[in-house]
Amino acid sequence: MRLLIRRVAAIPLDGVHDLLPEVDIAIEHGRIRAIGVAPPDFTPDQVIDGREHVALPAFFNAHTHAAMILLRGWAEDLPFDRWLNEKI
């Protein structure tokens, strides 16, 4: 599957650009092949109009509460602030 997103604003996180306004993003078999101008040999199966949209990197949860989940139920007779500050 080849997908072309046309004229979308993109946030590349490349350390050089904050925003790339109105670029094309060519995606082939689930991988980004080009950002900027689609290669001349790229023939998309589907085209999406990206005007008034922003393409940005995926978010991930870097702030987790794993320790609290593991210790859930431990000292649950305490008020929240004491449980958080004294037991966790």
Side-chain angles (χ1 to χ4, degrees):
M1 170 91 179
R2 290 187 207 118
L3 174 66
L4 179 63
I5 305 172
R6 305 250 334 152
R7 296 171 36 182
V8 65
I11 299 175
L13 295 182
D14 62 0
V16 177
H17 304 95
D18 292 329
L19 179 72
L20 300 173
E22 291 201 12
V23 295
D24 293 344
I25 300 176
I27 302 170
E28 189 168 22
H29 305 297
R31 293 186 170 265
I32 296 174
R33 181 167 169 196
I35 298 176
V37 178
D41 65 336
F42 185 79
T43 305
D45 300 315
Q46 181 181 0
V47 178
I48 296 175
D49 182 5
R51 286 179 292 180
E52 298 185 22
H53 290 83
V54 177
L56 61 152
F59 292 109
F60 62 95
N61 185 4
H63 177 94
T64 62
H65 292 261
M68 290 179 187
I69 291 169
L70 291 171
L71 301 174
R72 186 182 301 159
W74 183 49
E76 61 186 22
D77 58 324
L78 295 176
F80 176 73
D81 62 328
R82 285 192 56 209
W83 172 79
L84 182 63
N85 294 314
E86 296 173 18
K87 298 297 180 184
I88 299 298

